[in-house]
Amino acid sequence: MTQINVTVDGISYSDEVEPRTLLVHYLREWLGKTGTVVGCDTSNCGACTVHLDGRSVKSCTMLAVQADGHQVTTIEGLAENGQLHPMQQAFHETHALQCGFCTPGMIMQAIDLLKDNPDPSDDEVRLGLEGNLCRCTGYQNIVKAVQTAAKAGGAT
Amino acid sequence: MIPAKFDYHAPSTVDEALRLLSEAEDAKVLAGGQSLIPVLRLRLAAPEVIVDLGRIEELRGVREDGDALAVGAMTPHADMIADPLVREHAALVAEAAETIADPQVRHRGTFGGALVHADPAGDMPTTAVALGAEFLIAGTRGTRTVAAEDFFEDLFTTAVGEDELLTQVRIPKHTGWGSHYEKFVRVAQQWSIVAVAAALRIDGDSIAEARVALTNMGSTPVRATAVEQRLIGIAPVADAVREAVVDVAEGTHPPSDLNGDADYRRHLATVLTGRAVLAAAAG
């Protein structure tokens, strides 16, 4: 077992984990942060996307021990004082989800995308979200949501 | 699935990492983990020891070193793409790095990790071969330098020994050169079916120097030296370039798989090389 100290959604945690524990399993099973989901076994789908020190990563393709000493933000850490994050609000308003399974990863990656490009075109949104798969084929409204959040501002 | 059990070490210096590697029987080096962790999860590999290089600060970053860029092996792809030195002196690498997988993978995956992984469909090895990079390999007996043409030995096999580490890649500056990485894929995130790296120095109206290398046209990157020679002195216009690159696939041994057979890849290589050279001349 290895000792790790990780800050997740603003709270510091100290835990003993097996080195083979994936970050996503640590978040879900140790901390109960089930908002971050596991979609695939191959690092393709992006459903497990979280932020590590402010940049998007796939938490199924990282070991929890690699997050030792770092800050993690999950979908559960976005809302403040009961107010949805502007990106969450935009997904809600533009109906950018059907089954909702890809949504946590889509939102985390969309926020990362706006950090690099605050006013992305249709194509730039699609390219920026290429690591996130939606099997309900809800891409049209997802693109709309990202652009709505970009226009509203404050979405990073 | 989760990986099989392993002992985990996260050294903070290269020397400590080398000592751990020399003592371990069955160790694997973890760089960014974007290839290794999926392999561990699928249990295609189950090493007894993992040596994580993520805590070794000296392995990160890009700096100028005379007529070359010295790139730390643990520099993430996203940092390579954003680095002004890479943009100015080795734009080909930044352009190709932008096509790797997806943004999340580019935040974690590293330049050195992609090189030592040496996937024949990987993009970074081709850029290193095209620009004639040198590889600094550290071992317990000291550091040696290996040229790009000797670094990639076979499928997933490089000159780096089991108790050695790639620490730095020296990329000769190609300041003012035009470059382009033309990658052929069918769907998002796909590995190159075939890709072509091209870098050109234009003098007046004609090509003065050229570097051309091919991805996934054999078990290692292929440097197209005959085509490079033929490009010198010609004007970078469509007809002349197409004629100069027509034999680019001669002597290559590309794979045949569900994405295409070897002849299809040879055809692709010819078409994509023409496009890559023309785009490099334009930019």
Side-chain angles (χ1 to χ4, degrees):
Chain A
M1 302 291 262
T2 302
Q3 172 86 23
I4 58 169
N5 299 293
V6 192
T7 303
V8 181
D9 297 337
I11 297 172
S12 298
Y13 297 90
S14 189
D15 280 302
E16 296 252 314
V17 297
E18 260 194 289
R20 63 173 170 163
T21 309
L22 300 168
L23 177 60
V24 68
H25 292 141
Y26 174 69
L27 295 172
R28 289 174 59 82
E29 292 164 23
W30 268 255
L31 308 186
K33 297 216 169 252
T34 50
T36 303
V37 295
V38 185
C40 71
D41 242 332
T42 52
S43 190
N44 283 302
C45 82
C48 66
T49 300
V50 299
H51 293 175
L52 182 82
D53 299 331
R55 295 323 303 251
S56 60
V57 299
K58 293 182 173 177
S59 61
C60 79
T61 310
M62 246 191 96
L63 303 171
V65 287
Q66 291 179 289
D68 181 30
H70 294 277
Q71 303 226 6
V72 176
T73 306
T74 77
I75 188 76
E76 297 187 26
L78 291 182
E80 283 181 13
N81 306 318
Q83 288 278 318
L84 289 180
H85 183 281
M87 189 63 77
Q88 292 173 305
Q89 190 65 35
F91 268 66
H92 174 68
E93 280 169 13
T94 59
H95 193 66
L97 55 140
Q98 188 170 314
C99 85
F101 197 83
C102 73
T103 311
M106 285 285 180
I107 288 177
M108 297 312 284
Q109 180 53 29
I111 293 169
D112 187 273
L113 165 62
L114 293 193
K115 280 182 186 163
D116 287 336
N117 183 352
D119 184 23
S121 67
D122 268 32
D123 283 351
E124 287 166 345
V125 173
R126 288 173 194 277
L127 200 60
L129 296 179
E130 76 171 310
N132 294 73
L133 305 180
C134 166
R135 294 295 78 152
C136 304
T137 70
Y139 292 116
Q140 206 68 23
N141 283 355
I142 289 169
V143 174
K144 208 188 282 175
V146 177
Q147 290 178 327
T148 301
K151 284 191 184 69
T156 56
Chain B
M1 286 211 300
I2 61 170
K5 284 191 178 183
F6 52 78
D7 289 332
Y8 174 79
H9 301 280
S12 54
T13 65
V14 169
D15 286 346
E16 198 185 339
L18 290 172
R19 184 182 55 77
L20 287 161
L21 287 174
S22 68
E23 287 169 1
E25 277 293 300
D26 175 29
K28 216 45 181 146
V29 173
L30 176 62
Q34 301 304 287
S35 293
L36 180 59
I37 292 178
V39 163
L40 297 176
R41 294 191 63 180
L42 295 168
R43 306 240 177 154
L44 296 172
E48 284 174 19
V49 174
I50 293 277
V51 178
D52 179 3
L53 305 184
R55 311 273 161 192
I56 307 180
E57 280 306 315
E58 63 189 292
L59 290 179
R60 269 171 212 272
V62 180
R63 61 182 172 80
E64 279 185 283
D65 186 9
D67 56 3
L69 293 183
V71 180
M74 285 292 288
T75 307
H77 299 307
D79 290 10
M80 295 294 285
I81 293 165
D83 195 291
L85 289 173
V86 178
R87 288 272 167 201
E88 187 179 352
H89 302 297
L92 177 67
V93 178
E95 273 188 59
E98 283 180 332
T99 73
I100 296 171
D102 56 55
Q104 294 98 311
V105 169
R106 295 195 290 269
H107 286 144
R108 294 290 301 166
T110 65
F111 186 54
L115 293 169
V116 179
H117 186 53
D119 191 311
D123 305 302
M124 291 302 97
T126 311
T127 64
V129 166
L131 298 183
E134 287 182 337
F135 296 75
L136 270 61
I137 300 173
T140 46
R141 291 174 305 282
T143 297
R144 61 197 178 99
T145 303
V146 173
E149 57 265 34
D150 300 322
F151 184 79
F152 299 100
E153 295 182 342
D154 203 348
L155 219 64
F156 301 108
T157 310
T158 69
V160 180
E162 288 192 350
D163 55 354
E164 292 182 312
L165 285 177
L166 174 67
T167 54
Q168 190 188 95
V169 183
R170 289 175 53 85
I171 308 173
K173 284 182 186 172
H174 286 70
T175 320
W177 289 49
S179 61
H180 186 73
Y181 191 68
E182 183 75 19
K183 176 165 170 171
F184 188 83
V185 291
R186 289 184 303 107
V187 297
Q189 304 174 340
Q190 197 179 14
W191 292 82
S192 291
I193 296 172
V194 173
V196 179
L200 305 175
R201 187 169 67 79
I202 308 281
D203 188 9
D205 297 328
S206 61
I207 297 170
E209 286 183 90
R211 300 280 181 275
V212 177
L214 316 176
T215 302
N216 212 12
M217 288 297 289
S219 56
T220 60
V222 176
R223 173 110 177 245
T225 44
V227 164
E228 290 176 356
Q229 289 303 315
R230 236 170 282 143
L231 285 167
I232 293 171
I234 70 164
V237 294
D239 288 348
V241 167
R242 280 196 203 110
E243 198 184 314
V245 307
V246 74
D247 293 332
V248 72
E250 205 164 281
T252 59
H253 303 282
S256 289
D257 57 30
L258 287 175
N259 284 313
D261 62 20
D263 280 344
Y264 174 69
R265 281 192 162 85
R266 286 191 194 95
H267 171 73
L268 267 182
T270 312
V271 174
L272 300 178
T273 302
R275 287 184 196 165
V277 169
L278 288 168

